[in-house]
Each structure stands twice: as C-alpha cells, then as structure tokens.
C-alpha cells in the first residue's frame, strides 16, 4: 500500500472504544496494527456487526501483536528489504518472517484457551471480506490463501492415527 494512499485513507478514521479496547475505526481498512513505535489497532466498520465472541478474538489477535511488538520487528525486517531491493533472499526472509510472526501470534491467541475452530472461521471470514472489498492494511493476509492455509493447518496439527497399534507393530 503506498504510504500516501494509507495516509489519505487514515484521515477518515475515528478513534472509538470497542469492547473496552481503544481502536481506530475505518471504513474498510483492517483489522491491523499500525505504527512500529506507538502501535494502534485499526478495525473495519463491518467488525462492529460481528458476534461479540468473534470480535473478541479479532481484538485479541491484534492485542497480541502489540504486546509482542511485532510491528517493530516487521518494520525492521522490511527496512532490510528496502536497503537491498535486488536481494531476493532478503525479501524471501521478510516474507517468511511475516508468516512466522502470524503463526506465533495465532499460537498466543489460542494458548489463552480460545476455540481454534472459531478462530479459524474468523480468519476465513476476515480474508473473504478483505478480498470482496479490496480493503487496505490486512498485512497478515497479504500472502494470500497459501499462508492462510498454513496458519489454519498449524492450528490443527494432524495427529497420527493408530499410534498404539504402530508402536506395538
């Protein structure tokens, strides 16, 4: 997203409190965390229509990014890519780091005892709405369906079947 485009759209955002959490409310931008040094959560207006449990999951995901200072890490990694635009390995590493941060954030959200099925459904819903609206600033979903698939599969690791029978054999 070009910086000037993001700045222009951010002028229409309103500071509100959603479920006790101060956030920026945008027409179609988000959910996301903006700002590396002083991070703020941005949520799209449609998120207010989500059931309270889904909205709580969405806000918890963004809070986990803020707590872990993920935006600062991503900004630092992106700077490496900007300093070496010809280096495909650097860009690949930045992309892999983005996925690793999202996987880690998902694990932190679910470690709080949240329902992984509801959380996976929320990720799918957010991705679908972003694709439908062409929304800006959903960094976790920029990678497309392959990273979303990896995130959902990581939440539901496959357990080997018939473990006792295999060990016995």
């Amino acid at each position: 997203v070009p910086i000037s485009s993001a700045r222009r759209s951010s002028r229409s955002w309103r500071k509100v409190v959603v479920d006790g959490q101060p956030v920026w409310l945008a027409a179609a931008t988000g959910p996301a965390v903006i700002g590396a040094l002083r991070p703020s959560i941005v949520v799209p207006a449609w998120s207010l229509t989500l059931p309270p449990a889904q909205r709580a999951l969405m806000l918890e995901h963004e809070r986990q990014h803020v707590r872990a200072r993920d935006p600062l890490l991503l900004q630092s990694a992106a700077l490496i890519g900007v300093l070496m635009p010809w280096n495909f390995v650097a860009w690949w590493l930045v992309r892999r780091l983005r996925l690793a941060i999202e996987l880690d954030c998902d694990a932190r959200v679910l470690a709080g005892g949240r329902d992984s099925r509801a959380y996976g459904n929320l990720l799918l819903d957010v991705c679908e709405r972003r694709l439908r609206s062409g929304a800006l600033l959903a960094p976790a979903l920029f990678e497309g369906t392959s990273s979303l698939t990896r995130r959902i599969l990581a939440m539901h690791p496959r357990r080997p079947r018939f473990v006792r029978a295999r060990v016995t054999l």
Side-chain angles (χ1 to χ4, degrees), residues 2-13:
I3 292 174
S4 61
S5 173
R7 279 202 186 115
R8 223 173 313 151
S9 65
S10 70
R11 291 183 187 140
S12 65
W13 299 351

Side-chain angles (χ1 to χ4, degrees), residues 2-169:
I3 292 174
S4 61
S5 173
R7 279 202 186 115
R8 223 173 313 151
S9 65
S10 70
R11 291 183 187 140
S12 65
W13 299 351
R14 293 182 299 133
K15 190 77 166 175
V16 298
V17 176
V18 175
D19 300 338
Q21 174 71 48
V23 299
W24 288 100
L25 185 65
T29 303
V33 176
I34 59 164
L37 298 176
R38 286 176 291 197
S40 298
I41 297 172
V42 179
V43 296
W46 59 258
S47 67
L48 300 178
T49 64
L50 289 173
Q54 275 193 316
R55 195 171 47 246
L57 278 172
M58 182 183 69
L59 290 171
E60 180 59 23
H61 177 89
E62 301 308 331
R63 276 193 294 267
Q64 287 296 332
H65 278 308
V66 171
R67 280 188 197 122
R69 304 192 54 86
D70 291 341
L72 183 60
L73 179 59
L74 282 172
Q75 193 80 8
S76 302
L79 182 62
I80 292 169
V82 168
L83 292 175
M84 296 183 287
W86 61 89
N87 190 334
F88 294 111
V89 173
W91 285 105
W92 178 77
L93 288 172
V94 169
R95 183 176 177 195
R96 295 286 300 181
L97 177 64
R98 185 181 301 134
L99 176 60
I101 285 172
E102 288 304 324
L103 289 169
D104 184 56
C105 185
D106 294 341
R108 290 190 309 262
V109 170
L110 295 175
R114 307 284 190 323
D115 178 30
S116 62
R117 183 169 297 234
Y119 186 63
N121 285 334
L122 174 68
L123 292 176
L124 289 170
D125 188 35
V126 169
C127 186
E128 177 188 1
R129 289 177 188 256
R130 185 189 67 84
L131 289 173
R132 241 186 303 154
S133 69
L136 304 172
L137 278 183
L141 304 172
F142 279 161
E143 302 297 324
T145 56
S146 66
S147 74
L148 184 59
T149 302
R150 286 182 184 181
R151 289 174 65 188
I152 291 173
L153 288 175
M155 285 184 250
H156 301 91
R158 290 186 63 188
R159 293 182 179 91
R161 299 178 75 191
F162 310 112
V163 174
R164 289 186 184 154
R166 288 180 183 182
V167 169
T168 304
L169 288 174

